[in-house]
Coordinates of all heavy atoms in Angstrom, one line a residue:
A287 N 27.3 -30.3 0.3 CA 28.1 -31.2 -0.5 C 29.4 -31.5 0.1 O 30.0 -30.7 0.9 CB 28.3 -30.5 -1.9
S288 N 30.0 -32.6 -0.2 CA 31.3 -33.0 0.2 C 32.1 -33.1 -1.1 O 32.0 -34.1 -1.8 CB 31.3 -34.3 0.9 OG 32.7 -34.7 1.2
G289 N 32.9 -32.0 -1.4 CA 33.5 -32.0 -2.7 C 32.4 -31.8 -3.8 O 31.6 -30.9 -3.8
S290 N 32.4 -32.7 -4.8 CA 31.3 -32.7 -5.8 C 30.2 -33.7 -5.5 O 29.3 -33.8 -6.4 CB 32.0 -33.0 -7.2 OG 32.5 -34.4 -7.1
T291 N 30.2 -34.3 -4.3 CA 29.1 -35.2 -4.0 C 28.0 -34.4 -3.3 O 28.2 -33.8 -2.2 CB 29.6 -36.3 -3.0 OG1 30.7 -37.0 -3.7 CG2 28.5 -37.3 -2.7
R292 N 26.8 -34.5 -3.9 CA 25.7 -33.8 -3.3 C 25.1 -34.6 -2.2 O 25.0 -35.8 -2.3 CB 24.6 -33.6 -4.4 CG 25.0 -32.5 -5.5 CD 23.9 -32.3 -6.4 NE 24.1 -31.1 -7.3 CZ 24.3 -31.2 -8.6 NH1 24.4 -32.3 -9.2 NH2 24.5 -30.0 -9.3
R293 N 24.7 -33.9 -1.1 CA 24.2 -34.6 0.1 C 23.1 -33.8 0.7 O 23.1 -32.6 0.8 CB 25.3 -34.8 1.1 CG 26.6 -35.5 0.7 CD 27.5 -35.7 1.8 NE 27.9 -34.5 2.5 CZ 28.7 -34.5 3.6 NH1 29.2 -35.6 4.1 NH2 29.0 -33.3 4.1
M294 N 22.1 -34.6 1.2 CA 21.0 -34.0 2.0 C 21.4 -34.4 3.5 O 22.0 -35.4 3.8 CB 19.7 -34.7 1.7 CG 19.1 -34.3 0.4 SD 17.5 -35.1 0.0 CE 18.0 -36.7 -0.4
T295 N 21.0 -33.5 4.4 CA 21.3 -33.7 5.8 C 20.0 -33.7 6.7 O 19.1 -33.0 6.3 CB 22.3 -32.7 6.3 OG1 22.6 -32.9 7.7 CG2 21.7 -31.3 6.2
D296 N 20.1 -34.3 7.8 CA 19.0 -34.2 8.8 C 19.3 -33.2 9.8 O 18.5 -33.0 10.8 CB 18.7 -35.6 9.5 CG 19.9 -36.0 10.4 OD1 21.0 -35.4 10.3 OD2 19.8 -37.0 11.1
G297 N 20.4 -32.4 9.7 CA 20.8 -31.4 10.6 C 21.5 -31.8 11.8 O 21.9 -31.0 12.7
S298 N 21.7 -33.2 11.9 CA 22.4 -33.7 13.1 C 23.7 -34.5 12.7 O 24.2 -35.4 13.3 CB 21.5 -34.7 13.8 OG 20.4 -34.0 14.3
G299 N 24.3 -34.1 11.5 CA 25.5 -34.7 11.1 C 25.4 -36.0 10.3 O 26.4 -36.7 10.1
R300 N 24.2 -36.3 9.9 CA 23.9 -37.5 9.1 C 23.5 -37.1 7.7 O 22.8 -36.1 7.6 CB 22.9 -38.4 9.8 CG 23.3 -39.0 11.1 CD 22.2 -39.9 11.7 NE 21.2 -39.1 12.3 CZ 21.1 -38.7 13.6 NH1 22.1 -39.1 14.4 NH2 20.1 -38.0 14.0
Y301 N 23.9 -37.9 6.7 CA 23.7 -37.5 5.3 C 23.1 -38.6 4.5 O 23.3 -39.8 4.8 CB 25.0 -37.0 4.7 CG 25.6 -35.8 5.5 CD1 26.5 -36.0 6.5 CD2 25.2 -34.5 5.2 CE1 27.1 -35.0 7.2 CE2 25.8 -33.4 5.8 CZ 26.7 -33.7 6.8 OH 27.3 -32.6 7.5
I302 N 22.4 -38.2 3.4 CA 22.0 -39.1 2.3 C 22.5 -38.6 1.0 O 22.3 -37.4 0.7 CB 20.5 -39.3 2.3 CG1 20.0 -40.0 3.5 CG2 20.1 -40.0 1.0 CD1 18.5 -40.1 3.6
H303 N 23.2 -39.4 0.2 CA 23.8 -38.9 -1.0 C 22.7 -38.9 -2.1 O 21.8 -39.7 -2.1 CB 24.9 -39.8 -1.5 CG 26.0 -39.9 -0.5 ND1 27.0 -40.9 -0.6 CD2 26.4 -39.2 0.5 CE1 27.9 -40.7 0.3 NE2 27.5 -39.7 1.1
Y304 N 22.8 -37.9 -3.0 CA 21.8 -37.9 -4.2 C 22.5 -37.2 -5.3 O 23.6 -36.7 -5.2 CB 20.6 -37.1 -3.8 CG 20.8 -35.6 -3.7 CD1 20.5 -34.7 -4.7 CD2 21.3 -35.0 -2.5 CE1 20.7 -33.4 -4.7 CE2 21.5 -33.6 -2.4 CZ 21.2 -32.8 -3.5 OH 21.4 -31.5 -3.4
E305 N 21.9 -37.3 -6.5 CA 22.5 -36.6 -7.7 C 21.4 -36.0 -8.6 O 20.3 -36.4 -8.5 CB 23.3 -37.6 -8.5 CG 24.3 -37.0 -9.5 CD 25.1 -35.9 -8.9 OE1 24.7 -34.7 -9.0 OE2 26.2 -36.2 -8.4
L306 N 21.8 -35.0 -9.4 CA 20.9 -34.3 -10.3 C 21.5 -34.5 -11.7 O 22.7 -34.4 -12.0 CB 20.8 -32.9 -9.9 CG 20.4 -32.5 -8.5 CD1 20.5 -31.0 -8.2 CD2 19.0 -33.1 -8.2
Y307 N 20.5 -34.7 -12.7 CA 20.9 -35.0 -14.1 C 20.1 -34.1 -15.0 O 19.0 -33.6 -14.7 CB 20.7 -36.4 -14.4 CG 21.5 -37.4 -13.5 CD1 20.9 -37.8 -12.3 CD2 22.8 -37.8 -13.9 CE1 21.6 -38.7 -11.5 CE2 23.5 -38.7 -13.0 CZ 22.9 -39.1 -11.9 OH 23.6 -40.0 -11.1
R308 N 20.6 -34.0 -16.3 CA 20.0 -33.2 -17.3 C 19.1 -34.1 -18.2 O 18.3 -33.6 -19.0 CB 21.0 -32.6 -18.2 CG 21.8 -31.4 -17.5 CD 23.0 -31.0 -18.3 NE 24.1 -32.0 -18.3 CZ 25.1 -32.1 -19.1 NH1 25.1 -31.3 -20.2 NH2 26.1 -32.9 -19.0
D309 N 19.2 -35.4 -18.1 CA 18.5 -36.3 -19.0 C 17.7 -37.4 -18.2 O 18.1 -37.7 -17.0 CB 19.4 -37.0 -20.0 CG 20.4 -37.9 -19.3 OD1 21.0 -37.5 -18.2 OD2 20.7 -39.0 -19.8
G310 N 16.7 -37.9 -18.8 CA 15.9 -38.9 -18.1 C 16.6 -40.2 -17.8 O 16.2 -40.9 -16.9
A311 N 17.6 -40.5 -18.6 CA 18.4 -41.7 -18.4 C 19.4 -41.6 -17.2 O 20.0 -42.5 -16.7 CB 19.2 -42.1 -19.6
R312 N 19.5 -40.3 -16.7 CA 20.3 -40.0 -15.6 C 21.8 -40.4 -15.8 O 22.4 -41.0 -15.0 CB 19.8 -40.6 -14.3 CG 18.5 -39.9 -13.9 CD 17.7 -40.6 -12.8 NE 16.6 -39.9 -12.3 CZ 15.4 -39.8 -12.9 NH1 15.2 -40.4 -14.1 NH2 14.4 -39.1 -12.4
S313 N 22.2 -40.0 -17.0 CA 23.6 -40.3 -17.4 C 24.5 -39.0 -17.5 O 25.7 -39.0 -17.6 CB 23.7 -41.1 -18.7 OG 23.1 -40.3 -19.8
Q314 N 23.8 -37.8 -17.6 CA 24.5 -36.5 -17.8 C 24.3 -35.7 -16.5 O 23.2 -35.1 -16.3 CB 23.9 -35.8 -19.0 CG 24.0 -36.5 -20.3 CD 23.4 -35.8 -21.5 OE1 23.3 -34.6 -21.5 NE2 22.9 -36.6 -22.4
R315 N 25.3 -35.7 -15.7 CA 25.3 -34.9 -14.5 C 25.0 -33.5 -14.8 O 25.6 -32.9 -15.7 CB 26.6 -35.1 -13.7 CG 26.6 -34.5 -12.3 CD 27.9 -34.7 -11.6 NE 27.8 -34.2 -10.2 CZ 28.0 -32.9 -9.8 NH1 28.3 -32.0 -10.7 NH2 27.9 -32.6 -8.5
W316 N 24.2 -32.8 -13.9 CA 23.9 -31.4 -14.1 C 24.8 -30.6 -13.1 O 24.6 -30.7 -11.9 CB 22.4 -31.1 -13.8 CG 21.9 -29.8 -14.3 CD1 22.7 -28.7 -14.5 CD2 20.6 -29.5 -14.8 NE1 21.9 -27.7 -15.0 CE2 20.6 -28.2 -15.2 CE3 19.4 -30.3 -14.8 CZ2 19.4 -27.6 -15.6 CZ3 18.3 -29.6 -15.3 CH2 18.3 -28.3 -15.7
G317 N 25.7 -29.8 -13.7 CA 26.6 -29.0 -12.9 C 26.4 -27.6 -13.1 O 25.4 -27.1 -13.6
N318 N 27.5 -26.8 -12.8 CA 27.4 -25.3 -12.8 C 28.4 -24.7 -13.7 O 28.7 -23.5 -13.5 CB 27.5 -24.8 -11.4 CG 26.8 -23.5 -11.2 OD1 25.8 -23.2 -11.9 ND2 27.3 -22.7 -10.2
T319 N 28.9 -25.4 -14.6 CA 29.9 -24.8 -15.6 C 29.3 -24.6 -16.9 O 29.0 -25.6 -17.6 CB 31.2 -25.8 -15.7 OG1 31.7 -26.1 -14.5 CG2 32.2 -25.1 -16.6
P320 N 29.0 -23.3 -17.3 CA 28.3 -23.0 -18.5 C 29.0 -23.6 -19.7 O 30.2 -23.5 -19.9 CB 28.3 -21.5 -18.6 CG 28.5 -21.0 -17.2 CD 29.3 -22.1 -16.5
G321 N 28.2 -24.3 -20.6 CA 28.7 -24.9 -21.8 C 29.4 -26.2 -21.6 O 29.8 -26.9 -22.6

Side-chain angles (χ1 to χ4, degrees):
S288 176
S290 61
T291 301
R292 291 183 166 110
R293 303 186 302 176
M294 292 180 282
T295 181
D296 65 352
S298 299
R300 292 180 287 268
Y301 301 94
I302 292 177
H303 301 168
Y304 72 99
E305 194 51 270
L306 304 175
Y307 301 90
R308 291 169 283 160
D309 64 319
R312 290 167 173 80
S313 61
Q314 301 176 29
R315 184 180 188 276
W316 197 331
N318 205 28
T319 304

